[in-house]
Amino acid sequence: MSDLPVLPVTFRPSRTRAVLLVAGASIFVVITTVAMLLEQLGPGERASFVFTGALLFGVLALLARPKVVADESGVTVVNIASSRHLDWAEILQVNLRPGDPWVFLNLSDGTSLAALGIQPGIAKQRAIDDARTLRALAESRSFHDPEQRQG
């Protein structure tokens, strides 16, 4: 297929990521500014305000972490707290059904893996296009050995 992207390619919810990171930075700046402007706060209380702002930013940064990276060796799915590399042959199906919060990969071991890096939240059409691209890549790379296709 000539319409497949050149590998490596990274899929991630860019708009959602931007919203989360901007919101996290804004929250951190506002909470830190409030801590510095309140004269009745002691140093420990100010530090706790700054720590709380940093903690909230960290949580939102973790939520912005998901991505799916496709390269010649397979697909790396990076979710909020985990990362997993899959060989192309392990991916049997790429699903994004109406109402799904993100793509699900059906795997050769009988399990399903959520791929949060492709999610229709803010940019539905982009997620659909990304899911189709990943599906086409998986289908085109499932068999590397021509003798496997025949047998």
Side-chain angles (χ1 to χ4, degrees):
M1 267 183 155
S2 60
D3 59 339
L4 292 177
V6 177
L7 297 180
V9 63
T10 300
F11 304 101
R12 68 173 61 213
S14 301
R15 289 183 188 168
T16 302
R17 179 176 164 83
V19 168
L20 289 168
L21 292 175
V22 168
S26 300
I27 289 169
F28 177 74
V29 168
V30 168
I31 289 176
T32 300
T33 302
V34 167
M36 297 307 152
L37 292 177
L38 291 175
E39 295 174 10
Q40 69 268 27
L41 295 181
E45 292 168 317
R46 285 190 179 157
S48 71
F49 267 67
V50 173
F51 176 77
T52 301
L55 185 63
L56 290 171
F57 176 79
V59 168
L60 292 176
L62 271 177
L63 292 174
R65 182 176 181 249
K67 65 182 176 180
V68 177
V69 180
D71 60 28
E72 292 296 334
S73 68
V75 174
T76 302
V77 177
V78 179
N79 287 333
I80 294 170
S82 66
S83 179
R84 181 171 174 191
H85 180 78
L86 303 164
D87 292 331
W88 285 110
E90 291 180 79
I91 302 171
L92 300 180
Q93 195 173 29
V94 177
N95 293 314
L96 181 60
R97 297 173 300 255
D100 280 351
W102 40 71
V103 162
F104 289 93
L105 305 176
N106 290 342
L107 306 179
S108 60
D109 65 1
T111 63
S112 182
L113 177 66
L116 280 63
I118 302 175
Q119 50 183 267
I122 296 175
K124 184 176 182 179
Q125 191 56 50
R126 165 95 187 262
I128 292 168
D129 293 342
D130 287 351
R132 286 181 178 149
T133 301
L134 184 60
R135 181 179 302 127
L137 284 167
E139 289 171 358
S140 72
R141 295 180 182 279
S142 290
F143 297 104
H144 296 292
D145 184 359
E147 290 182 13
Q148 269 186 311
R149 282 191 189 152
Q150 295 171 1

